[in-house]
Amino acid sequence: MVQNQPLPAPFMHNAAAGPTVHPDQAACDFWHAPCLVEKSLPFIMENSVEMKTTQKMVLAALALSGTAFAQTPAPAAAPAKAPEPDYTLSYNIGAVTDYRYRGISQSKRRPALQGGIDFAHKSGFYLGSWASTITWIKDSSVPGASAKGPLELDIYGGYKGSINEAISFDVGGLQYWYVGNTLKNVTTANANTFEVYGALTAGVFTFKLSDSLTNLFGTPNSRNSTYADLSATFDLGSGWSIVPHIGSQRIRRFGTYTDYSLTVAKDIDGLVLSAALVGTNWKSHFGTPYTLPGSGSRDLGNSTLVLGIKKNF
């Protein structure tokens, strides 16, 4: 800002001393205008020139600063946030030392290969498929009645949404398809099973209830068997997580047993390493271990440590 210059001394007024007289004005009457003008004119003209020069300098400085400001590039705008895709498509492939489902070994306590593909739409609808090698159908064979079915293929779909900021839900259907299975030769019921399910998630906790609309995994007269499970997912940071789980399988017209697991996992850029303690109370509840004709004396429902590796794409 340009500050106002103080008036030159000849034009300053001292109230106590009275009018101040310019030195060149001593010989004339102060109030004689022609004399005042005549004596003061050179000084006024000189100061007028100085003021005009100062004004020009100020205007020039403002013009230069304005030009410099105009030439200064504006700050770069923040990059626009990428829009949410309409859908995502993901894949996974992996292996486990023992394929356990609801606490029971599906692979005679031996390794299994697994993989899946998932489609998820931003509206909440999803569709997926997952597969694993198995041995339990073949191991169900008895003398005079053999069964086969080396592959489990699951196809599922549903809808996920939110009730409010704290609670979300998931509803859908799941078809367990045991490709080319002949379990009916042994149990009189096909192994293929269809379930509907609903789940609620609040914070780290998820409760899920499944109901079979068909016979359950080849068990005769077991339609409307139910499975309820409660799990919690704790994110420990740096890719580490821990998931405790407990479930209750009610097999209609047969009985109910409990399964449990505690899984620790490490995610390294989509490569997931896991270790899980898995087991059931089958033996203590029914008084006998869970075995199949082809598994020998192996208890397929006992507690064990399952190691896994999975790659997500």
Side-chain angles (χ1 to χ4, degrees), residues 119-188:
F119 168 88
H121 193 270
K122 67 179 182 180
S123 64
F125 289 100
Y126 62 89
L127 184 66
S129 180
W130 183 85
S132 178
T133 57
I134 60 170
T135 64
W136 72 268
I137 294 179
K138 178 182 177 181
D139 291 338
S140 298
S141 299
V142 295
S146 64
K148 65 178 182 179
L151 182 69
E152 174 186 336
L153 178 61
D154 301 341
I155 300 174
Y156 49 87
Y159 179 79
K160 293 182 179 180
S162 298
I163 297 175
N164 52 43
E165 293 183 357
I167 302 175
S168 59
F169 67 88
D170 178 9
V171 293
L174 170 56
Q175 174 68 50
Y176 302 86
W177 182 33
Y178 297 96
V179 183
N181 87 87
T182 58
L183 185 65
K184 188 175 181 179
N185 295 341
V186 178
T187 67
T188 71

Side-chain angles (χ1 to χ4, degrees), residues 233-243 263-268 273-275:
T233 302
F234 297 97
D235 185 350
L236 305 180
S238 301
W240 287 96
S241 64
I242 183 169
V243 181
T263 304
V264 177
K266 168 67 173 177
D267 189 334
I268 309 171
L273 306 176
S274 63

